[in-house]
C-alpha cells in the first residue's frame, strides 16, 4: 500500500508541475486534477482488491466493466457544454459576467 501511495503522490506532483509550467487557468487546473484523480483511483481499485500482485489475478467482470465506465464519466463533463456551464463555480460566473 505504501508503494501505491507514493506512486499516486508522484503522479499528482507531475500533474501539478506540468499544469504550472503550461500556466493553465484555474478551471483547467481543477478539471485536470479531477480527471487524473478519478482515473488513478480506478487503477487503485485493481491494486487494493487482492493481496497478490494485481496483474496476476483476474478481476471480476463487474470491475472490468465499471472501471472504463467510471473513466468515461470522469472525462465526460469537461467536454459537454451543459455540464461545463452547470459545474462552473458561481464566483467565476460572476466575474465573467462583470467583465
Amino acid at each position: 500500500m505504501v508503494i501505491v501511495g507514493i506512486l499516486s503522490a508522484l503522479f499528482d506532483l507531475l500533474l501539478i508541475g506540468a499544469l504550472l509550467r503550461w500556466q493553465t487557468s484555474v478551471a483547467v487546473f481543477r478539471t485536470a486534477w479531477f480527471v487524473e484523480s478519478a482515473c488513478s483511483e480506478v487503477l487503485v481499485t485493481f491494486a487494493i482488491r487482492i493481496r497478490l500482485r494485481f496483474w496476476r489475478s483476474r478481476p471480476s467482470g463487474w470491475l472490468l466493466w465499471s472501471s472504463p465506465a467510471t473513466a468515461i464519466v470522469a472525462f465526460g463533463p469537461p467536454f459537454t457544454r451543459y455540464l461545463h456551464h452547470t459545474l462552473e463555480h458561481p464566483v467565476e460566473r460572476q466575474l465573467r459576467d462583470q467583465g
Side-chain angles (χ1 to χ4, degrees), residues 56-82:
R56 290 192 176 185
S57 96
R58 182 162 171 78
S60 70
W62 176 254
L63 184 60
L64 285 175
W65 175 84
S66 64
S67 296
T70 301
I72 289 168
V73 168
F75 273 96
F79 298 105
T80 59
R81 172 171 254 164
Y82 173 74

Side-chain angles (χ1 to χ4, degrees), residues 1-13 36-55:
M1 283 316 272
V2 173
I3 293 172
V4 172
I6 291 170
L7 286 174
S8 178
L10 180 65
F11 280 112
D12 287 344
L13 290 173
E36 185 268 340
S37 295
C39 290
S40 68
E41 291 305 317
V42 167
L43 293 175
V44 165
T45 59
F46 285 97
I48 65 172
R49 68 186 175 82
I50 194 162
R51 288 181 181 255
L52 302 173
R53 292 189 170 93
F54 70 91
W55 59 85

